[in-house]
Amino acid sequence: EKYFFGKLGLRKDTRRAVRLWTEAAELGSVQALYELGVAYYEGVGVREDKTKGAKFWAKAAVRGHVESRYNLGFCEGRGGNHDHAVRHFLICAKMGHMVAVETIKKMFMEGIATKKQY
């Protein structure tokens, strides 16, 4: 992360950050999986690949990373799969993610989420 943002006096080097996150992910870092998801989804330091980014988030989400789960919900919603989006957001809400709670409320008010899903 320090290379990605150029913190602590380090020169900003997004490609190096991606290499280090890849190494860390291989060693079991859930946060590195999340960061790789962001890098690939947004195309920073690597060629943009939204599918690959979502796959990294999915790996982190099953290991309990709430922000990865939230991002998966966002992707599902953007893709029109509102049922899966609601499921992801509900899991996040149960983990204390307040933005997910607000997102579910908004989806409920707009008729996208239903009581049955709760």
Side-chain angles (χ1 to χ4, degrees), residues 3-115:
Y3 282 105
F4 190 80
F5 293 108
K7 292 182 178 179
L8 299 177
L10 295 171
R11 195 177 103 249
K12 183 176 178 176
D13 187 346
T14 55
R15 289 184 182 181
R16 183 168 186 188
V18 169
R19 284 194 308 273
L20 292 170
W21 285 328
T22 300
E23 198 174 307
E26 289 168 357
L27 294 171
S29 170
V30 177
Q31 185 65 31
L33 290 169
Y34 167 76
E35 299 294 354
L36 285 168
V38 172
Y40 278 96
Y41 195 84
E42 296 182 3
V44 180
V46 292
R47 182 172 293 162
E48 182 181 301
D49 186 339
K50 294 194 182 306
T51 301
K52 193 170 187 175
K55 286 180 182 179
F56 279 114
W57 288 333
K59 288 178 184 180
V62 298
R63 294 181 57 201
H65 194 273
V66 68
E67 197 63 36
S68 292
R69 175 78 62 184
Y70 182 84
N71 288 354
L72 288 172
F74 175 80
C75 291
E76 292 286 3
R78 180 176 256 183
N81 194 343
H82 300 293
D83 188 50
H84 281 133
V86 169
R87 289 181 196 175
H88 286 300
F89 294 142
L90 282 172
I91 292 169
C92 290
K94 288 177 184 175
M95 294 172 76
H97 193 282
M98 294 311 295
V99 176
V101 172
E102 294 304 315
T103 302
I104 291 169
K105 281 189 209 176
K106 183 178 177 186
M107 292 175 84
F108 186 75
M109 289 188 290
E110 292 174 357
I112 297 169
T114 64
K115 281 189 177 184

